[in-house]
């Protein structure tokens, strides 16, 4: 059995289990940690597919920078509050399940229609990828899709700033009367008064 198959069958169940664990965790920090595990297992899958650039980007950008941002926002918002188990909208869970099933079906049909389920690369793939995977990806990303790439980075920065602004808690002003009301009243000592 090839080593690639062994590595795949070791990491694939871990990837699926961490994704399910992320979805069922009530604690946001635990869910984020399961997401980090999932990102690392996906990085290993990229390495198995001979995509070293995507492997490095997956670890550095997603498992590193994005997850630090997620954990920072979670800690900033506070995880000490209890989680309300009630759904804010009636039927929200069933709508989410229906949309998830539709997404999986759509993805399956798109993969089948676009690239098929074969081991042969699309026509012209070897010519585009002649200089290497990293150079081909950089050429597409920074030449053809440069503007959407930069817009996405600006949106991420705006989202991080917005999360910090929304999470900023304003301390309520406390009046002297409230401070006096909290302190127990003690009668003055008669010896001190005299």
């Amino acid at each position: 059995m090839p080593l690639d198959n062994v590595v795949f069958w070791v990491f694939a169940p871990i990837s699926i289990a961490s994704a399910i664990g992320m979805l069922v965790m009530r604690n946001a920090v635990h869910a984020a940690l399961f997401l980090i595990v999932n990102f690392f297992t996906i990085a290993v899958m990229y390495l198995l597919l001979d995509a070293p650039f995507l492997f490095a980007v997956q670890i550095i950008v997603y498992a590193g920078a994005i997850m630090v941002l997620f954990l920072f926002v979670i800690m900033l918002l506070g995880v000490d509050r209890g989680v309300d188990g009630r759904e804010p909208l009636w039927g929200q869970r069933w709508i989410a399940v229906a949309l998830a099933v539709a997404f999986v079906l759509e993805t399956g049909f798109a993969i089948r229609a676009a690239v098929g389920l074969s081991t042969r690369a699309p026509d012209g793939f070897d010519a585009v990828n002649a200089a290497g995977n990293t150079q081909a990806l950089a050429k597409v990303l920074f030449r053809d899709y440069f503007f959407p790439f930069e817009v996405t980075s600006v949106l991420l920065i705006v989202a991080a700033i917005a999360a910090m602004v929304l999470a900023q808690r304003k301390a309520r002003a406390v009046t002297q009367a409230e401070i006096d009301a909290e302190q127990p009243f003690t009668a003055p000592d008669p010896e001190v008064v005299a």
Side-chain angles (χ1 to χ4, degrees):
M1 179 177 269
L3 183 61
D4 289 353
N5 289 351
V6 173
V7 172
F8 174 80
W9 286 110
V10 168
F11 281 92
I14 296 171
S15 178
I16 293 171
S18 62
I20 292 172
M22 178 197 65
L23 292 175
V24 299
M25 280 292 131
R26 292 266 184 214
N27 189 330
V29 175
H30 294 160
L33 293 175
F34 272 114
L35 186 59
I36 291 173
V37 172
N38 191 269
F39 282 160
F40 275 112
T41 57
I42 290 174
V44 171
M45 299 300 172
Y46 285 140
L47 196 60
L48 290 175
L49 293 171
D50 291 329
F53 177 73
L54 292 178
F55 166 77
V57 166
Q58 179 74 17
I59 290 178
I60 294 168
V61 175
Y62 286 104
I66 299 295
M67 285 313 302
V68 167
L69 177 68
F70 282 179
L71 287 173
F72 177 71
V73 170
I74 288 170
M75 294 300 178
L76 196 62
L77 292 175
V79 293
D80 52 349
R81 294 185 293 243
V83 177
D84 188 12
R86 295 175 293 166
E87 293 181 7
L89 301 173
W90 181 84
Q92 175 180 349
R93 185 172 309 224
W94 296 112
I95 293 171
V97 169
L99 288 175
V101 169
F103 175 74
V104 168
L105 290 174
E106 180 184 1
T107 304
F109 287 132
I111 290 172
R112 181 72 181 137
V115 296
L117 300 175
S118 65
T119 57
R120 189 178 63 81
D123 294 335
F125 179 77
D126 293 332
V128 171
N129 207 22
N133 189 307
T134 307
Q135 287 82 2
L137 183 64
K139 187 184 292 184
V140 170
L141 189 62
F142 294 115
R143 188 182 66 196
D144 300 338
Y145 296 102
F146 180 73
F147 183 70
F149 180 75
E150 290 301 319
V151 168
T152 303
S153 65
V154 169
L155 284 175
L156 285 172
I157 291 172
V158 168
I161 292 171
M164 288 188 288
V165 168
L166 290 175
Q168 183 180 13
R169 296 184 181 125
K170 303 243 182 218
R172 189 176 67 84
V174 180
T175 63
Q176 185 64 38
E178 290 174 332
I179 293 172
D180 292 340
E182 288 182 9
Q183 294 177 350
F185 177 75
T186 56
D189 193 5
E191 296 175 1
V192 176
V193 174

